[in-house]
Each structure stands twice: as C-alpha cells, then as structure tokens.
Amino acid sequence: MPLIANRSVIAALWAALAAALGALGVALAALWRSPGPRAASLVIAVLLLCIAAALGYAIARERTVNMRVRHLQDVEHDLRASEAKFAGILDIAADAIITVDVAQRIAHFNQGAERIFGYAARDVIGRPLEMLIPSRYRVAHGGHMERFAAAAHASRRMGERREIFGLRNGDVEFPAEASISKLPTPAGWLFTVVLRDITDRVRIERQQRFLAAVGEQLAVSLDYEATVRTVANLAVPELADACVLDLLDGDQLTRRVVSTCGPERVREPLAALAEAGPIGPDSPSRVIDVLRTRQADLVPVVTDEWLEAHTDDRPNVSAAWRALGARSLMIVPLLARERAFGAITLVATTRERPYETADLVFAEEIARRFALALENARLYHAARTATRARDEVLGVVSHDLQNPLSAITMGVHVLTEQPPADVDGRRQLLRMISESAAWMQRLIRDLLDMSALEAGRLSVERRPERAHAIVASAVRMLESAVAERGVALEISVPNDLPVIDVDAARIEQVLVNLLGNAIKFTASGGRIVVRASAGPEAVELSVADCGIGIPLEEQAHVFERYYRARHTTRRRGAGLGLAIAKGIIEQHGGRIWLQSTVGEGSVFSFTLPLAHATAASVR
C-alpha cells in the first residue's frame, strides 16, 4: 500500500507541473508580444527557472522512488520464494516438524507429522500438544517445556537421558527421538519440535539382541532332546504366546512338541495338542502344505472359518485349537542344509496388532537357527551313536569272538602237538573246532546284519512264499540242537495258510534265532511250540517255550541291540539276535512282540503281510 500511494502522488505532481508549464508558456508568449517593462520579463524568466528546477527535482525523485519500489518488490519476491522453499522443505521432510505456541497449542504440522501421527494438519492445528503425548508423560512434559523456555540455550535434544514416546491416532504408542528449539516473538515463545519415529530401528535392535540370546541358549547343549525342548520354548514370549513344533523323521511327521513357558491359560490347550500326537499326511492342517512347499505361511487374522478349514478334524485337536484362542499365527518350515526337520507354528493370542511380513521375515531367521541347532544335535547324536556302536563292536570282537577263537586255537594245538589216540577223541576235537568256527561266523554275520539295518541297507528280496515251508526249513536246521537239549518241538502251522510276501531266507533267520533262544532257555524235557494263524491282512507266527521267562522290567529292552538278560548266566552270543529279528520283521512291514511270565516261559510273536498272488501260483 505505501508503494502505491507514492506512485499516485508522483503522478499528480507530474500532471500539475505539466499544467503549470502550459499556462506559463501562454503567459510568456503574451508578455513577449506586449510592450511591458523588462522587469516583468525578468520575473517570468526566474519563475520559469524555478519551475524547471522543481521539474528536475520531481523527475529525480520519481526515479529514486521507482528504484526503491523495484528493490522492495525484489525483496518481497525473494522473501516469498524463500518462504515457499522453506515450507516445501518442511512438507517433504520425513520427520515430523511441529510448532507450538507458548500455550502449547499446535501452530504448524507438516506432512511428515501427518504420516507419523496419523492426523491431518487441519484436525490438529490449534489443539493442545498433549494429544500427541502418552497420558503418563503429559504432566511431566509441561514442566520440561517451562524449564526449556527459561534456559539460556536455544535448542536441545530431547530424550538424552530417557526414552520418549509419541501417541498415534488410535492411542498407539511408538518410540521416538526428537530435538526442540525456541524462537522469541512479540506474541511469546514459539517452540518447534523435529521428531523421528524409531519403531523400526528399535525393533531391529531388539531382534538382534534376541538372536544373540537364541544363539547362546542353543549352544548350551548338543543333546537332541534338550535342543528340541529349547526350540519349542525360545520364541515365547518374544515372538509368540504359544509354539507348536512338528518334527519330521524322514518324510513322516512323527512327533509334536509344544511350548511350556507361555501364559497359564494356553498351557492346557497346548498339552492337549501334544497329547493328540502328530498330524497325518492327509490332514487339512497348513503344516502339511508348508512342509510340502517349504514356504512359510502367514495368517494375519485367525477366524473361526479358517480354523474350520485348516484344523485337524480330530475332535480333541479342533477343540484344543479353539480353546487356545489364536488371533494371528505363522507357520515356518525348519530347513537346514537342504533338509527339512519339521515346522514351527507361532501363535499370538494377546498381541495388539496382527503378525505382518516383517514378523514373518524375523520368524524365518529364527527358524533357520532352530533348524541348524537341530541338525547339529542330530549329527552329534549320530556321532555318539556311531562311537558307541564302534565300542560295542570292539567289545563283541574282543570278548565274544575270543571264546570260539580260543577253542579253535586249543583244538588245533591239541591235534598238532598231542592228538588223541582214538578216532572218537579226534572227531570230538574237530567237531569242537567246527562248532566254534560256525559260532564265529554267526557273530560276524549278526554284526554285519546289524550294521546294514542301522544304515538302512539290509537286503530283503520279497516274493510270495508259504509259511509252513519256511517253518519246516528253520526246524530242520535245529533238529540236532533240539535232540541234544532233550526238548519236544511241536509244529502247529496249517498247510492252507494264505501266501505271504516275504524274503524266505530272512524269515528263516528270524525263526532260527527265536527257536535257538527257546532251546537255550528251556530245560530238558520241556516243550517248544511253533504256531501260525491267518488274519485279514497278515499271518501271525509265534514261538512259545516253557523256559525261565523274562522279568517284566526287562521285557521292554529285549529287542535292543547288545542287550543280554541280567537274570541268566547264559552269555553266549552278541546280544544282537532279537534286534536283528525286529529289524527284519519291520523291513517286511510287520511287527514283533513278547509275552512272558517268570518261571512259566515266553512267547515271541510276529506278523508277516499277505501276498497278492494266489496259492495256486506258488509251487
């Protein structure tokens, strides 16, 4: 407005001067033609000079004013450009920039503040700053602002000695860091805060600390069972309220382990899930899909419809999942060195927000560490097992082979140095040598078979066979031992039993082992019975004796390798026969078990699958 007024005055001055010059020019012309005195001409000349001087001053003044006007216009333009530039910088800043007045009312709220706090600027301008501060900090915040206003320094970093938090729209707290400055104005102090949301940074730092702690806890033990328990509990409560661990053995889910350190209310449903056992390959559970694709699955919101569609249809399992109260869950495969060890299901029941992609990425990192720990524990267990097996084999070789080898050495020495004079004596020594050699061969064969079983390489060539023929062949191999022991052997195996799908030589090996034990532990005059009967899918065979029997506490161990009953002094053998028999039967898809009573005898039974071929096709 002052610039416009000055220009109007100058324009009016110009018009007045122009009119005066016109009038003076007319007067001068008239005077010049008149014969008046020369004094009048002089006055007029002086007056014209004054007018010319005034006109020159007016022109100079106009130029000065115009220059000032242009300068002020330039300054005003630069100021507006600077303000626009500053406003643009504030608007595009990622941090929140908030200005409040001395009454703590918001005067400026940039776009960064809108993104961080979730409010539009028009909804917060003029409102108190405390709406952006968690309630527990509001009283103290007012005191901090008063002390800062009275301090000598013009700016400082907030939260230098403690954490600070902001409050988003929806009453969601978040960690932050901020700086504050003050500016005096005629109306009072203006305070400007530059605030940064550090939620992601705090989360990453916490995750790194957690991963370091996970590594330490997983390194405490290489025991496989201890590692499994640790894995099931480590993610609680950092990442989940409950954890379900499904473990693979080969390609089959064979075990389910659950966390035991979560909230009290989830423990009973988790125990029910563990008691229900592993899920089957046809289960609708998403665990099956995760293991098949080896891709993690994120379920941000668990609904009743989702549970209905993806929960194991066993009633106790479905009820347990509903009682668990899952709000959100993640299923992550446990993968290490191109091998899957199972899957871990992380369940959130009290989490304020659902699981997100960032949570899934972190869960996958944890799962990789879990899988490596399980792999290391498995390898350690395998190494210890191999070492123990080596020591046991060395013990067998050094102890069990020593007796027959000593017998052979003694017999050979007697035959070469002091042979018996009679033929029967020499034959007896030769028979002892032959039996000892056969004894050594059986021990070596058992060791080889046990090694093959453990490596999964035991040779089994199955074809349709008749049970009575296999039993008869095994009995012929032991006729002399039966006669020498003085026991009765009864065979009750019908000829019309269905055809079985077996490796005849391997089943003979099982029968010879069971019959040999029965003969060994049955007193002279006792009775051994071999029976067979047909079922809908298998033939069941059994070997019963009336020997000394096996105590109940030992029955669970008789099929373990190198196990020898403590209640007997009969030590001949490596303790591998029953373990091998169990392995052979299981290789055929059957099962073997024991029933025994001390003082009454034992019954070893096993099943063998039926063949698809008819009896007419078998010779």
Side-chain angles (χ1 to χ4, degrees), residues 47 77 93 118 175 187 201 209 213 250 283 310 352 358 388 503 526:
L47 182 60
H77 177 271
R201 189 178 75 192
R209 289 193 298 269
S283 170
H310 298 100
E352 292 183 355
R388 186 167 59 250
D503 184 327

Side-chain angles (χ1 to χ4, degrees), residues 229-547:
R229 291 191 297 270
T230 300
V231 166
N233 284 300
L234 265 181
V236 179
E238 176 68 23
L239 195 58
D241 299 310
C243 173
V244 179
L245 183 63
D246 292 290
L247 295 174
L248 282 170
D249 185 2
D251 294 330
Q252 299 295 323
L253 285 168
T254 59
R255 188 176 178 191
R256 169 166 276 182
V257 183
V258 299
S259 57
T260 58
C261 61
E264 185 67 30
R265 66 178 188 78
V266 305
R267 296 185 184 180
E268 186 174 344
L270 285 176
L273 290 176
E275 185 178 351
I279 57 179
D282 298 326
S283 170
S285 171
R286 289 289 295 164
V287 171
I288 301 299
D289 296 327
V290 166
L291 290 174
R292 185 182 67 253
T293 62
R294 298 196 172 190
Q295 297 293 322
D297 188 23
L298 170 63
V299 185
V301 179
V302 177
T303 62
D304 290 340
E305 292 76 13
W306 189 92
L307 284 175
E308 185 71 25
H310 298 100
T311 301
D312 196 340
D313 52 7
R314 290 176 291 177
N316 53 339
V317 174
S318 179
W321 272 109
R322 294 184 184 279
L324 191 59
R327 293 185 179 180
S328 185
L329 62 82
M330 298 180 289
I331 307 172
V332 186
L334 299 174
L335 306 174
R337 302 186 180 103
E338 299 183 355
R339 174 174 176 170
F341 291 87
I344 186 169
T345 302
L346 301 170
V347 183
T349 63
T350 59
R351 191 181 179 92
E352 292 183 355
R353 63 177 179 84
Y355 285 131
E356 301 172 347
T357 302
D359 299 309
L360 185 63
V361 171
F362 183 47
E364 289 177 316
E365 180 61 31
I366 293 176
R368 279 191 287 271
R369 296 173 186 246
F370 286 171
L372 284 172
L374 290 172
E375 168 71 344
N376 291 336
R378 184 190 68 83
L379 292 175
Y380 177 71
H381 176 74
R384 291 193 63 186
T385 301
T387 301
R388 186 167 59 250
R390 180 203 63 193
D391 294 341
E392 290 169 345
V393 169
L394 290 175
V396 169
V397 171
S398 63
H399 181 271
D400 292 329
L401 290 181
Q402 184 176 358
N403 292 331
L405 184 60
S406 297
I408 292 173
T409 302
M410 181 184 66
V412 170
H413 178 75
V414 171
L415 285 175
T416 55
E417 299 296 332
Q418 297 176 345
D422 59 316
V423 175
D424 289 340
R426 292 193 294 272
R427 286 178 178 172
Q428 186 177 357
L429 283 174
L430 289 173
R431 186 166 56 253
M432 181 190 69
I433 293 172
S434 177
E435 290 176 352
S436 297
W439 182 5
M440 293 178 66
Q441 288 178 341
R442 286 195 301 273
L443 289 173
I444 293 172
R445 184 195 63 188
D446 286 350
L447 289 172
L448 293 175
D449 284 348
M450 195 70 244
S451 177
L453 276 171
E454 291 178 344
R457 296 194 300 267
L458 183 69
S459 175
V460 173
E461 298 179 3
R462 298 165 63 173
R463 60 175 59 88
E465 300 282 356
R466 289 192 177 277
H468 71 86
I470 297 174
V471 172
S473 177
V475 168
R476 283 195 299 271
M477 296 174 65
L478 295 170
E479 285 179 346
S480 59
V482 170
E484 182 180 346
R485 187 69 178 169
V487 297
L489 181 59
E490 180 183 333
I491 308 299
S492 179
V493 181
N495 292 337
D496 60 350
L497 286 175
V499 178
I500 52 178
D501 183 27
V502 297
D503 184 327
R506 290 296 185 185
I507 302 305
E508 286 178 13
Q509 183 179 349
V510 172
L511 285 168
V512 166
N513 181 278
L514 297 179
L515 285 169
N517 286 341
I519 294 169
K520 186 193 314 183
F521 293 108
T522 302
S524 179
R527 186 158 132 308
I528 299 171
V529 181
V530 180
R531 292 188 176 90
S533 60
E537 297 180 356
V539 167
E540 180 180 320
L541 289 92
S542 64
V543 176
D545 64 57
C546 57

